[in-house]
């Protein structure tokens, strides 16, 4: 029990730090607890913390292979071919566009360029120059600009506005190249949030997405941010948006998990009371998300996103066995909420994983009793 109490103390500390981490990404490093008598996550086949993949929420080997080729050779053509062969209206295309844009942005951050150095992400510039009518390249470029605005500038400043306006133009160009593609409009949702679109203008943009991909989970998550209290809406508007999406979700759709994301976006600034996570609002949202993941296709690209958030809420509400059930399905990849809000996503995930293992074993569980 000693290790369980130690881990509980560390988790309570994380409850205090998490809102700060959400506001100041990269500014705080949490300490991962250790103890020689601790329950060993490796007993469950979990990946070591230093081997956790922080790039994606779940496996996409085709994407990883192409990213490796592109970054090693600085040749964009493999990325262009992968996107060309990915379903236009599917979740996977949106995730791959984000991944390519993020890779280019990270390269540029690591190698900004200089007198004798080629800047990172040069392959994306070459892609746009050599294939200006490639819809995939145009979408990646638009998302790249959006990520650059959020990474390098402060909302409300001239620099931020200039980059976002360039991103809006890039979204328009990408949309013209692929009229049925929802991705350029999903990218613009972030622009709308950054440039403070009036609600009628935002709703017109949202209708364009619904016309093309009405059950697109990634689009709904991007739109939810606009309606949140910290941006241009309120708790009530965000909950209403999420609950409406869940209510109209077809059988097997992960949209039924939307209320859980709305709850997460409006967590109290400081909470040290476990009973909050056992409240009616949280419990109802968790049950909706659990139903969604158990009903969804197991190859749904958004499934890992929901499972990762479920791990957070199940651990916080001390539902250890259920948390372990989700952990064994997502372990290995941590590029999802809430871990990505931490300066060290792998460490944050490992902390919750260790707590789940300790709680599970303190209540009689063991590797032998854990079944998928």
């Amino acid at each position: 029990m000693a290790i369980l109490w130690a881990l509980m103390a560390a988790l309570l500390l994380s409850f205090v730090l998490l809102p700060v981490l959400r506001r100041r990404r990269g500014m705080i490093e949490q300490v991962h607890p250790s103890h020689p008598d601790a329950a060993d996550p490796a007993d469950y086949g979990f990946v070591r913390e230093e081997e956790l993949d922080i790039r994606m929420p779940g496996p996409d080997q085709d994407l990883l292979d192409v990213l490796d080729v592109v970054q090693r050779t600085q040749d964009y053509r493999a990325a262009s071919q992968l996107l060309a062969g990915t379903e236009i209206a599917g979740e996977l295309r949106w995730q791959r566009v984000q991944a390519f844009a993020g890779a280019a942005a990270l390269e540029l951050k690591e190698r900004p360029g200089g007198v004798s150095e080629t800047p990172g992400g040069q392959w994306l510039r070459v892609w746009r120059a050599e294939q200006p009518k490639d819809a995939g390249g145009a979408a990646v470029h638009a998302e790249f600009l959006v990520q650059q605005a959020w990474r390098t500038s402060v909302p409300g400043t001239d620099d931020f506005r200039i980059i976002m306006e360039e991103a809006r133009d890039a979204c328009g160009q990408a949309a013209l190249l692929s009229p049925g593609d929802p991705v350029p409009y999903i990218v613009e949702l972030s622009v709308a949030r950054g440039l403070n679109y009036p609600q009628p203008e935002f709703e017109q943009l949202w209708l364009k997405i619904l016309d093309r991909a009405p059950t697109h989970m990634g689009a709904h998550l991007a739109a939810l941010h606009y309606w949140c209290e910290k941006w241009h809406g309120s708790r009530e508007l965000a909950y209403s948006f999420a609950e409406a999406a869940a209510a109209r979700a077809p059988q097997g759709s992960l949209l039924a998990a939307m209320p859980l994301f709305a709850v997460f976006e409006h967590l109290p600034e400081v909470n040290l009371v476990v009973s909050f996570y056992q409240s009616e609002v949280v419990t109802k949202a968790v049950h909706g998300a659990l139903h969604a993941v158990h009903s969804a296709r197991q190859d749904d690209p958004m499934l890992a996103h929901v499972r990762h958030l479920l791990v957070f809420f199940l651990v916080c509400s001390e539902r250890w066995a259920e948390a372990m059930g989700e952990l064994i399905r997502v372990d290995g990849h941590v590029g999802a909420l809430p871990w990505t809000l931490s300066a060290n996503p792998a460490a944050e995930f490992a902390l919750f994983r260790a707590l789940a293992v300790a709680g599970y074993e303190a209540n009689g569980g063991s590797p032998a009793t854990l079944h998928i």
Side-chain angles (χ1 to χ4, degrees):
M1 287 298 292
I3 182 58
L4 180 58
W5 284 112
L7 287 168
M8 281 295 289
L11 181 62
L12 291 175
L13 177 62
S14 77
F15 290 168
V16 177
L17 292 179
L18 184 60
V20 181
L21 289 170
R22 295 173 68 189
R23 294 192 300 268
R24 300 175 61 192
R25 302 182 187 187
M27 297 299 287
I28 294 178
E29 189 105 30
Q30 283 185 249
V31 177
H32 190 288
S34 61
H35 190 283
D37 298 325
D40 189 355
D43 292 342
Y44 296 84
F46 290 143
V47 174
R48 294 171 61 87
E49 179 182 327
E50 58 269 25
E51 296 173 355
L52 291 168
D53 191 327
I54 65 173
R55 294 171 295 180
M56 298 182 299
D60 183 348
Q61 194 58 48
D62 288 341
L63 174 61
L64 289 177
D65 291 343
V66 168
L67 272 173
D68 177 66
V69 170
V70 169
Q71 295 187 304
R72 180 165 36 85
T73 66
Q74 291 295 295
D75 187 333
Y76 68 86
R77 285 175 292 182
S80 176
Q81 292 169 3
L82 183 64
L83 287 181
T86 306
E87 181 189 359
I88 284 181
E91 304 280 357
L92 201 57
R93 180 178 174 83
W94 168 230
Q95 290 191 20
R96 287 173 171 175
V97 165
Q98 288 181 298
F100 287 130
L106 183 58
E107 282 186 35
L108 183 59
K109 178 182 178 181
E110 294 175 345
R111 300 195 313 277
V115 176
S116 59
E117 181 185 42
T118 300
Q122 182 66 20
W123 53 269
L124 178 55
R125 298 179 185 84
V126 175
W127 188 357
R128 292 298 295 132
E130 292 185 354
Q131 300 290 339
K133 295 188 181 300
D134 186 327
V140 172
H141 180 238
E143 173 65 14
F144 167 80
L145 290 170
V146 166
Q147 292 194 26
Q148 281 295 95
W150 292 110
R151 289 170 186 262
T152 65
S153 305
V154 177
T157 63
D158 288 343
D159 287 346
F160 182 84
R161 178 182 54 79
I162 289 169
I163 300 173
M164 276 298 189
E165 288 179 349
E166 185 180 355
R168 177 167 55 187
D169 292 341
C171 289
Q173 294 169 18
L176 290 174
L177 291 171
S178 184
D181 188 350
V183 169
Y185 300 102
I186 299 174
V187 177
E188 192 179 349
L189 290 173
S190 188
V191 176
R193 178 161 52 97
L195 292 183
N196 194 16
Y197 281 20
Q199 288 189 7
E201 186 177 353
F202 181 87
E203 289 169 350
Q204 287 299 312
L205 172 61
W206 181 239
L207 287 175
K208 293 177 182 178
I209 295 172
L210 292 182
D211 286 344
R212 292 161 175 80
T215 60
H216 198 291
M217 179 72 172
H220 280 78
L221 291 177
L224 176 64
H225 289 297
Y226 178 91
W227 295 113
C228 286
E229 189 173 62
K230 61 186 175 184
W231 287 106
H232 310 302
S234 64
R235 180 190 301 265
E236 291 71 26
L237 285 172
Y239 278 24
S240 176
F241 175 81
E243 290 165 1
R248 66 171 181 270
Q251 178 65 28
S253 170
L254 288 168
L255 288 178
M258 283 297 298
L260 189 64
F261 286 87
V263 170
F264 179 75
E265 292 296 335
H266 294 87
L267 288 176
E269 286 295 300
V270 175
N271 178 68
L272 300 178
V273 183
V274 173
S275 61
F276 168 80
Y277 291 95
Q278 299 168 348
S279 65
E280 182 180 355
V281 170
V282 174
T283 299
K284 181 179 178 182
V286 167
H287 284 172
L290 285 170
H291 173 75
V293 299
H294 294 153
S295 303
R297 298 188 340 264
Q298 293 309 295
D299 63 347
D300 190 315
M302 294 301 294
L303 188 56
H305 285 275
V306 181
R307 289 194 186 280
H308 278 290
L309 197 62
L310 271 169
V311 168
F312 172 84
F313 277 98
L314 291 170
V315 168
C316 290
S317 56
E318 299 183 354
R319 295 166 65 167
W320 311 117
E322 290 169 291
M324 291 293 289
E326 300 305 323
L327 277 166
I328 59 176
R329 291 173 170 86
V330 298
D331 190 71
H333 297 81
V334 296
L337 287 175
W339 328 121
T340 51
L341 297 180
S342 169
N344 189 336
E348 184 81 3
F349 175 82
L351 169 64
F352 274 73
R353 187 177 65 183
L355 182 60
V357 170
Y360 180 64
E361 295 194 351
N363 286 274
S366 72
T369 63
L370 184 63
H371 302 288
I372 298 179

